[in-house]
Structure formats: C-alpha cells, structure tokens
Amino acid sequence: MRLVTVVPRVVFGLLFVWAGAVKIADPHAFAETVFNYQILPDVLVNPVALYLPWLEAVCGLFLVVGAFTRGAALVLCTLMLVFLAALGYNFHRGLDVACGCFSAGGGESDLAANILRDVTILLLGLLVLAREVRVTRTAPPELQP
Amino acid sequence: MKNASPLGIAGEALLLAVLSLVLAGGVNMFRPHPLPYVQDWSATIRERYADREFVDLAEAQRLWLTGEALFVDARDAGSYAQGHIPGALHLPFDAFDPDMATRLSALPEDRLLVVYCSSISCGLSHEMAQNLDFLGYDKVVVLAEGFVGWQSLDAPVEQGPAAGGEVSP
C-alpha cells in the first residue's frame, strides 16, 4: 500500500473519528446545535443528533484501519454534502447559527469560513473515495461467493 | 491492489450505517444522562430561563394594541430595518459592549417592557432581560417567539431604521 494513498485516507478518517467523538461526548450540546440550525422539524432533532456522530466516528474508524473503505468514504462524502447544503442554506437566509438569530449583517463571516473549511474536507474526501475505488479490485464473477 | 469485500460499495455503506445506528442507540441506553429521542426544544429553551417572565404571541399582540407596553428590539440594525414590531425601540444587545449597561438604563422603569429578538432559538432577548433584571427593572417580559413569531400573526410590521436612532441615555 503506497503512502500517498494511505496518508490522505487515514487523515480523513481521523478527522471524522475526532469530530464524531467530540459530539458523542456531549450529545445534549450537539442536539442544541442541530436545533439552532432551524432546518429539521423539532421531532427529528434528537434522533439525528444521536445518530450522526456515530456515523462519522464509525466510518472514520473503518477508514483508518482500512476496512470497507469505499463504503465509509462514500458515506462521509455524502455527509459532507449534506452539511454543506445546510450551511449554504443558512448562509442564504442569514442565520447566525452560533446564536440562532437571523441577522442581516454580522455572523456571515463565520458561516463563510465554515463553508470554506467543509468544501476543503469534501475535496479531500472525494480524493480518498476515488483512490479507494481505484485500488480496490472487484474479484472476477467466478471467484465470488 | 486489494480485494473488494463481497458487499460492493453500497453494501458497505449500508453495513456501516446500520452498525452506527446500533451503536448510537445502544450506547445511549447506558449513559447516565441519555439523550431523549423526543424533546420539546421550545420548552427546553424556556426552562433555562425559568425565572424569566414570558408573554406568548397572543398576549404580546394584546399589549401592543392597548399600548400599555413598550417593545424593545434587541437585534442588529440591519434586521431591525428590514422589519420590526411597529413602535418598537431599537436597542441592539451586545454582551461585549462596555457601555451596554448605560444604554439599557436609558429605558423607562415605569413602563412594561416587552423584549424580543428574532425567534425562539435566539438568546439576545433573554440576555437583555436578564441584564435589565440586574439593573433593577422589574417590569420586563420576553416575547420568546420573537419577530418571526410576530410575523406569523399577520400583524402589522414597520420597516426602516429607528426614527430617533437607537435608544441612548
């Protein structure tokens, strides 16, 4: 396994293990963050807040150890797209997520920074996904169970 | 090159999704403070300010119609100008402004003050009310639903910057 394939995969995976772990450590705080995004109906806030961090951490972990990497990378890239859509939507309506206030002016620079950060992460994820798909050979039909 | 698992990419994704679901539910069950699956968030936010007095939208509208309350808009100038409760004073709340207490003291103590910001998840109104409480104001209530709630009433709104500028001592 070449370093140029392993390093991005492990880095990307660790990012999500860490991100997931932080949220798993304090589910109530994360649930309130999800609520403050004002995107999901109230009844979905807690289930999503409960599930998402585990999805992040589990997929991140599998990427780090190098198992089920295609699926893990796919899930995480999809998640990043969803997060970006949520951020973009709130940017568009001027919602300052930290405070939950709608503001015409301030708060937008934070959102812009977050969007930029997440786009970078998504690009890394797409790179990892592409590489994992390429280096994983599907066995010829006669050898499959 | 490595061999693919027999699952295929979609199968792997599904497996991971299910595994995460099981872990999420399972671990939550054993926590000392599990996250409830269903939570009334509006009530949760309200309980945090349990000693704060609230008015609901109906009461706020009544107070507005009779003119017995003074409405105070805690949001920034841009939001205020885009639309506010007619007649509301503009006093943007900034926790980091060293002159905030002085600004707040310009509010009359003998009128009922209804403080609001944008919506139920906005904390500015609660913070302002708390600060007013410290300054000795005892006739302060918060409209938690905020301007978003007011708009749902089909009640009139006013636009443009405050006629006399912001509230100042």
Side-chain angles (χ1 to χ4, degrees):
Chain A
M1 197 62 55
R2 292 164 53 209
L3 219 60
V4 75
T5 313
V6 172
V7 170
R9 190 193 82 214
V10 169
V11 166
F12 187 67
L14 282 174
L15 205 63
F16 282 90
V17 169
W18 175 79
V22 163
K23 294 166 193 148
I24 288 168
D26 194 346
H28 299 272
F30 182 55
E32 184 160 348
T33 304
V34 173
F35 171 72
N36 282 336
Y37 267 73
Q38 301 269 281
I39 288 181
L40 294 172
D42 282 11
V43 73
L44 285 181
V45 168
N46 279 20
V48 166
L50 195 53
Y51 180 53
L52 221 64
W54 279 99
L55 195 58
E56 288 182 313
V58 165
C59 290
L61 189 62
F62 274 82
L63 274 177
V64 170
V65 304
F68 300 134
T69 55
R70 295 172 303 159
L74 181 65
V75 169
L76 292 181
C77 287
T78 309
L79 268 183
M80 287 313 299
L81 279 170
V82 169
F83 292 158
L84 274 166
L87 278 174
Y89 178 54
N90 277 344
F91 185 82
H92 163 73
R93 57 179 180 166
L95 178 62
D96 174 358
V97 177
C99 128
C101 307
F102 287 77
S103 67
E108 285 175 2
S109 56
D110 272 347
L111 264 182
N114 283 340
I115 289 174
L116 205 61
R117 180 201 63 196
D118 284 359
V119 167
T120 311
I121 295 174
L122 173 65
L123 290 175
L124 175 62
L126 290 172
L127 177 75
V128 171
L129 177 62
R131 284 209 174 127
E132 289 307 307
V133 167
R134 201 156 45 86
V135 305
T136 306
R137 175 185 53 200
T138 318
E142 57 266 24
L143 291 180
Q144 282 177 341
Chain B
M1 277 294 174
K2 56 182 180 184
N3 286 322
S5 61
L7 289 172
I9 190 171
E12 288 182 6
L14 189 61
L15 174 74
L16 292 169
V18 169
L19 177 63
S20 305
L21 190 65
V22 168
L23 281 169
V27 169
N28 194 46
M29 265 198 293
F30 292 104
R31 302 188 87 116
H33 300 287
L35 186 72
Y37 292 106
V38 179
Q39 185 167 1
D40 181 351
W41 273 98
S42 305
T44 303
I45 305 281
R46 241 176 253 247
E47 262 161 61
R48 195 174 297 164
Y49 303 96
D51 53 318
R52 178 67 45 233
E53 292 214 26
F54 291 93
V55 286
D56 59 20
L57 284 167
E59 176 69 4
Q61 192 170 27
R62 192 194 68 80
L63 289 170
W64 182 79
L65 284 167
T66 61
E68 57 190 282
L70 200 54
F71 284 75
V72 181
D73 192 322
R75 303 171 300 162
D76 63 283
S79 304
Y80 179 87
Q82 273 186 349
H84 51 268
I85 296 178
L89 293 178
H90 183 220
L91 220 187
F93 185 76
D94 180 356
F96 301 109
D97 183 353
D99 298 322
M100 201 65 227
T102 319
R103 280 191 221 274
L104 289 174
S105 302
L107 290 170
E109 278 183 65
D110 57 347
R111 297 282 304 276
L112 172 63
L113 301 172
V114 178
V115 181
Y116 72 93
C117 58
S118 55
S119 70
I120 197 106
S121 62
C122 172
L124 294 177
S125 52
H126 304 287
E127 282 185 78
M128 179 179 283
Q130 204 162 38
N131 277 262
L132 286 169
D133 193 41
F134 291 150
L135 290 169
Y137 286 78
D138 57 1
K139 296 189 180 61
V140 179
V141 291
V142 170
L143 174 59
E145 287 84 350
F147 188 63
V148 168
W150 181 266
Q151 286 176 303
S152 74
L153 287 174
D154 274 334
V157 299
E158 204 170 60
Q159 291 180 320
E166 291 172 12
V167 175
S168 57

